Amino acid sequence: MSSTSQKNRYHDAPRAADFTIDQAWDTYSAAEHDRWDRLFRRQREIAKGRACETALTAMADLELSASGIPHMGELSDKLEKLTGWRVVPVAELVPDEVFFDHLANRRFPAGAFIRPEEEFDYLQEPDIFHDVFGHVPMLANPVFADFMEAYGKGGQRAMQLGQLHNLARLYWYTVEFGLIREAGDLRIYGAGILSSPNETVFALEDVSPNRVGFDLARIMRTKYIIDDFQQTYFVIDTFEALLEACYKDFDSIYGDVKHWTDLEAHEIDPGDRVITRGTLDYFGACKNSPDLS
Ligand code: HBI
Ligand code: FE
């Protein structure tokens, strides 16, 4: 396993107080540009008929393509005209409070590095393909753009209340692994799914996972897994409904959820709006394993 600094040449890059770095777009090698192109072509094909309309349309509007690694400044100039968001280069995960401050100010921190060839299919850290292909198109949707700013502000509040883990679950089950109902079918908007060829198919078509209607307090009680497919996916009806649910006064929900027991990632709760009850077969014996989070 290569060490972080070997794998990620931005690991030691000089950074500003807000953890942003210089993308140094001219330093990407032909091999790195080619890797982006192969990742893009493969995932764009699999996403057809599976990603939500918003994501597919935005990729075209933002001129994302298999023509080399995007220049974040040029991409930001296009995105900013649509929703006021910019994409700022960072070396790797940044501290939560820094992350929330960026989101609250319509800046999305995106990894500048691209995954090494040996991690072509999956990596745990967010690289430029996960962030730009997975997250950025959704920021072109005005309602989702408002939600992400509200999430940033909510995160700052959650930290003050010491309940960041509850809010992180909301991010996980929507921004990273959310599904949306579209024309009577289910489609993907979560970046963690959208940037993963295998999970793009699994999340929509496999019989193993549960699929449950979105409920804010329920999600805040639900543990999640960070190194495998999700055992439960939550489905929103519209981005407006997601935003509306989160404009509620978070404080009252934090107050309630603090006293409720957590749910394991595979559990169905009696109050759930069950869309599909999964067989959990993919998760095998591990379905009773202690979940991380
Ligand atoms: N930093 N660069 C980066 N990207 C993320 O997605 C990210 C982060 N820091 C913290 C974080 N995500 C999560 O803990 C959020 O739920 C806060
Ligand atoms: Fe992400």
Side-chain angles (χ1 to χ4, degrees):
M1 171 76 165
S2 59
S3 75
T4 305
S5 50
Q6 277 163 350
K7 179 164 81 169
N8 177 354
R9 61 189 176 77
Y10 291 90
H11 181 69
D12 299 319
R15 63 172 183 231
D18 65 0
F19 281 72
T20 53
I21 61 171
D22 175 6
Q23 185 185 4
W25 186 83
D26 298 332
T27 64
Y28 289 118
S29 67
E32 288 177 311
H33 283 300
D34 175 65
R35 197 167 312 134
W36 164 279
D37 291 356
R38 287 181 287 120
L39 283 164
F40 185 93
R41 268 194 290 271
R42 180 179 69 172
Q43 192 51 23
R44 182 68 186 75
E45 192 51 39
I46 296 173
K48 271 186 200 143
R50 296 187 175 102
C52 65
E53 260 324 295
T54 285
L56 296 173
T57 313
M59 281 179 206
D61 294 347
L62 295 169
E63 296 174 302
L64 286 178
S65 64
S67 53
I69 292 174
H71 185 290
M72 290 190 201
E74 292 168 9
L75 175 60
S76 295
D77 291 344
K78 295 171 195 158
L79 180 63
E80 192 165 26
K81 288 194 185 83
L82 299 173
T83 57
W85 276 81
R86 292 192 69 82
V87 185
V88 293
V90 292
E92 53 220 339
L93 287 180
V94 302
D96 288 341
E97 67 279 2
V98 173
F99 185 66
F100 290 130
D101 183 63
H102 278 303
L103 297 189
N105 291 284
R106 298 211 169 207
R107 293 186 302 265
F108 188 81
F113 77 102
I114 189 161
R115 63 194 68 185
E117 200 63 31
E118 57 271 20
E119 292 184 292
F120 188 85
D121 284 334
Y122 174 77
L123 81 167
Q124 206 142 341
E125 305 81 15
D127 73 332
I128 192 163
F129 185 74
H130 167 82
D131 280 328
V132 171
F133 186 94
H135 284 289
V136 169
M138 291 309 303
L139 294 172
N141 173 298
V143 178
F144 196 82
D146 287 352
F147 167 73
M148 286 292 275
E149 178 186 342
Y151 180 86
K153 290 173 177 159
Q156 293 167 324
R157 181 79 184 111
M159 294 192 76
Q160 288 161 2
L161 294 169
Q163 288 188 249
L164 179 56
H165 66 289
N166 294 118
L167 198 80
R169 290 168 176 174
L170 172 63
Y171 189 86
W172 192 264
Y173 282 117
T174 56
V175 180
E176 292 295 355
F177 292 97
L179 301 180
I180 185 168
R181 195 180 290 283
E182 200 169 75
D185 213 336
L186 297 186
R187 289 289 181 269
I188 297 162
Y189 71 93
I193 312 175
L194 262 188
S195 56
S196 156
N198 297 331
E199 193 151 10
T200 294
V201 176
F202 179 85
L204 292 183
E205 299 163 27
D206 202 283
V207 292
S208 298
N210 301 317
R211 296 173 187 89
V212 170
F214 174 92
D215 175 288
L216 183 58
R218 195 288 194 202
I219 283 179
M220 285 189 167
R221 297 171 55 206
T222 308
K223 296 179 179 178
Y224 56 83
I225 299 155
I226 62 171
D227 57 1
D228 202 342
F229 294 159
Q230 296 311 303
Q231 300 186 349
T232 297
Y233 294 97
F234 290 91
V235 180
I236 60 173
D237 292 323
T238 61
F239 294 119
E240 287 78 4
L242 175 63
L243 181 64
E244 197 274 330
C246 298
Y247 266 158
K248 273 193 189 117
D249 171 14
F250 269 132
D251 287 15
S252 59
I253 295 175
Y254 287 140
D256 298 343
V257 84
K258 196 158 58 175
H259 306 302
W260 295 346
T261 49
D262 282 348
L263 292 164
E264 299 304 324
H266 65 273
E267 278 187 77
I268 293 276
D269 184 65
D272 281 345
R273 204 162 23 103
V274 178
I275 294 163
T276 54
R277 181 185 289 273
T279 63
L280 303 179
D281 289 349
Y282 165 82
F283 307 102
C286 81
K287 64 174 160 253
N288 302 316
S289 70
D291 296 284
L292 299 164
S293 69

